[in-house]
């Protein structure tokens, strides 16, 4: 074990021993290389009053060396801000601004000790970073049967976790019974560690739980932790903010899990990707909390040092230009109003989908899974294979959708103008009739 990792582990064990128990082998081994190139160049940045010949960038005339054919595309951004490296854990100001945004969006997070978000190269990277921190081969991952396919690639194929799926829906809402029974079955096997992954608004169905359901989820997790089982609970907030119905809860589930229990290590995995409509900029975050530690605990920095080390090892750092753009957007006085205006566009589309689905002809062809949020909705197709329908719909009618499995067809209404939504569903119905 590297002495720097040992130092971090000592802090973690003394501050939150159950968090240490939840760390993977890799997570335990990792550290931020704070005594190497990075710290020497940081030291030089402060003290080298004559020449700074430390870091692998090129400088000219006191700023980042650059080609005008590139920087002329970015007239509002200095070459330094656009082109120099960001720190591995991310631009400090962006980390603070994202936390401030999260606290504004989620009043439940206020007063619950949380880490400063670390910046990732998008939410997929947030999830793989968390997976590296917590998952060893043979660990159990509990997640819903309606899920984003990349979870299996990341946790199951890449890390060797064992998937245990619970049934997401029952009677038009979150299936708390299946969630609890799935967790209890894992506990009955004698396991003392479970990784749980939840995503609302859900991909592929577009479902977000009610306040009561979120309380039920939190109480269930607490009851499992009370049995002496350690839980790493990951909340994937990819589509956060797009809540369409008055009764839909508007806050992240993370707010209910933060600080809840000494054995619950809660992660908020979120990103500018979908929330700020910057898919290709690749800016994501990881924030975490665990019960029983004070806000000023050195635990937060110690765990972030491990995650910063993992970032350093794998991608070194995320795009400084992307981080700069997102930071400036967050700092704009118009940010929240502009975000709300786009959410209204998405809301109108979702409500139009809901209206169109009332057509009684459609009930023979499919049943819609509950949806109230996010980018998608999902149809459970009757009597026709969903992939056969997808292929026919594409080839005969020129309409692209996603077959999630043999029965479910995902429709991204996020990509369809509101006036085209009736025709979209009419064509799906036509294609279904063609095959029936
Ligand atoms: C539920 C969910 N989580 C995470 C992601 C990944 O987002 P990113 O593009 O930031 O990696 C997606 C993208 O489709 C998603 O649907």
């Amino acid at each position: 074990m590297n002495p720097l990792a040992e130092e971090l582990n000592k802090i973690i064990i003394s501050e939150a021993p159950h968090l240490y128990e939840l760390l993977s082998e890799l997570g335990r081994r990792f550290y931020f290389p704070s005594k190497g190139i990075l710290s020497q160049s940081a030291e030089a940045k402060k003290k080298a009053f004559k020449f700074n010949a430390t870091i692998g960038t090129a400088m000219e005339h006191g700023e980042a060396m650059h080609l005008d054919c590139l920087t002329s595309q970015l007239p509002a951004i200095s070459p330094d801000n656009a082109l120099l490296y960001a720190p591995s854990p991310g631009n400090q100001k962006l980390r603070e601004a994202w936390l401030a945004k999260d606290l504004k969006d989620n009043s439940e997070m206020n007063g619950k000790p949380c880490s400063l978000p670390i910046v990732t190269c998008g939410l997929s990277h947030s999830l793989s970073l968390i997976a590296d921190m917590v998952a060893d081969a043979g660990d159990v991952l509990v997640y819903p049967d309606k899920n984003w396919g990349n979870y299996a690639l990341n946790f199951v194929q890449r890390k060797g976790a064992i998937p245990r799926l619970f049934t997401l829906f029952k009677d038009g809402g979150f299936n708390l019974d299946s969630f609890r029974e799935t967790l209890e079955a894992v506990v009955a096997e004698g396991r003392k560690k479970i990784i749980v992954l939840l995503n609302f608004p859900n991909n592929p169905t577009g479902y977000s739980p009610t306040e009561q359901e979120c309380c039920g989820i939190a109480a269930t997790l607490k009851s499992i932790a009370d049995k002496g089982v350690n839980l790493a609970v990951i909340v994937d907030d990819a589509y956060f903010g797009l809540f369409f119905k008055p009764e839909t809860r508007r806050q992240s589930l993370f707010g209910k899990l933060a600080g809840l229990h000494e054995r619950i290590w809660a992660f908020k995995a979120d990103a500018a990707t979908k929330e700020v409509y910057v898919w290709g900029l690749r800016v994501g975050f990881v924030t975490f909390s665990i019960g029983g530690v004070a806000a000023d605990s050195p635990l937060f920095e110690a765990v972030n040092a491990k995650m910063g080390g993992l970032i350093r090892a794998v991608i070194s750092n995320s795009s400084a230009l992307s981080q700069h753009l997102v930071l400036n957007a967050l700092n704009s006085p118009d940010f929240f109003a502009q975000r709300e205006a786009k959410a209204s566009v998405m809301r109108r589309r979702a409500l139009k989908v809901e209206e169109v689905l009332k057509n009684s002809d459609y009930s023979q062809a499919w049943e819609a899974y509950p949806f109230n949020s996010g980018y998608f909705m999902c149809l459970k197709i009757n009597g026709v294979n969903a992939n056969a329908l997808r292929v026919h719909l594409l080839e005969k009618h020129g309409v692209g959708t996603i077959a999630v499995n043999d029965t479910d067809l995902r429709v991204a209404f996020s990509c369809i103008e509101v006036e085209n939504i009736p025709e979209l569903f009419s064509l799906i119905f036509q294609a279904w009739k063609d095959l029936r």
Side-chain angles (χ1 to χ4, degrees), residues 45 50 52 57-66 78-81 84:
K45 206 171 171 187
K50 190 125 181 104
N52 182 358
T57 52
M59 305 300 287
E60 189 180 29
H61 313 309
E63 63 178 3
M65 188 179 280
H66 56 274
S78 73
D80 283 4
N81 281 333
L84 292 178

Side-chain angles (χ1 to χ4, degrees), residues 163-202:
R164 291 290 163 80
L165 302 179
F166 68 93
T167 309
L168 181 61
F169 292 123
K170 184 180 169 189
D171 303 332
F174 184 83
N175 192 338
L176 207 50
D177 291 339
S178 176
F179 183 56
R180 193 185 52 250
E181 284 157 15
T182 305
L183 289 166
E184 281 173 353
V186 178
V187 176
E189 291 167 13
R191 289 184 178 268
K192 293 287 177 209
K193 168 182 180 181
I194 309 177
I195 306 166
V196 181
L197 178 43
L198 297 168
N199 155 234
F200 306 117
N202 173 260

Side-chain angles (χ1 to χ4, degrees), residues 328-398:
N328 281 351
L330 288 172
N331 283 341
S332 160
D334 298 329
F335 173 76
F336 286 98
Q338 289 185 11
R339 192 184 63 166
E340 183 48 36
K342 296 302 176 204
S344 297
V345 173
M346 301 286 255
R347 184 175 300 114
R348 279 199 292 282
R349 293 177 187 176
L351 296 180
K352 177 56 92 180
V353 172
E354 195 181 47
E355 181 195 314
V356 163
L357 289 177
K358 288 192 180 131
N359 182 337
S360 56
D361 287 348
Y362 292 168
S363 59
Q364 45 178 320
W366 60 63
E367 189 189 333
Y369 289 105
F371 72 98
N372 52 21
S373 55
Y375 278 34
F376 311 112
M377 58 83 60
C378 199
L379 299 171
K380 182 166 190 253
I381 306 295
N382 295 330
V384 171
N385 176 281
N387 193 48
L389 178 63
R390 179 193 70 81
V391 171
H392 179 72
L393 189 56
L394 186 59
E395 289 183 352
K396 168 105 189 283
H397 300 280

Side-chain angles (χ1 to χ4, degrees), residues 56-77:
T57 52
M59 305 300 287
E60 189 180 29
H61 313 309
E63 63 178 3
M65 188 179 280
H66 56 274
L67 307 185
D68 286 339
C69 58
L70 196 140
T71 48
S72 62
Q73 300 172 62
L74 305 163
I77 305 176

Side-chain angles (χ1 to χ4, degrees), residues 121-125 127 148 151 199 203 236 238-239 271 273-274 279 282 376:
C121 187
L123 219 162
S124 306
H125 180 218
L127 294 168
W148 185 42
Y151 294 159
N199 155 234
N203 177 0
D236 176 342
Y239 301 92
T273 309
K274 323 263 179 180
W279 309 271
R282 313 309 299 145
F376 311 112

Side-chain angles (χ1 to χ4, degrees), residues 99-126:
L99 179 62
K101 181 212 76 74
D102 274 351
L103 290 170
K104 186 172 160 124
D105 282 338
N106 299 279
S107 58
E108 268 180 1
M109 280 174 66
N110 282 290
K112 300 192 176 154
C114 286
S115 65
L116 184 65
I118 204 160
V119 180
T120 64
C121 187
L123 219 162
S124 306
H125 180 218
S126 301

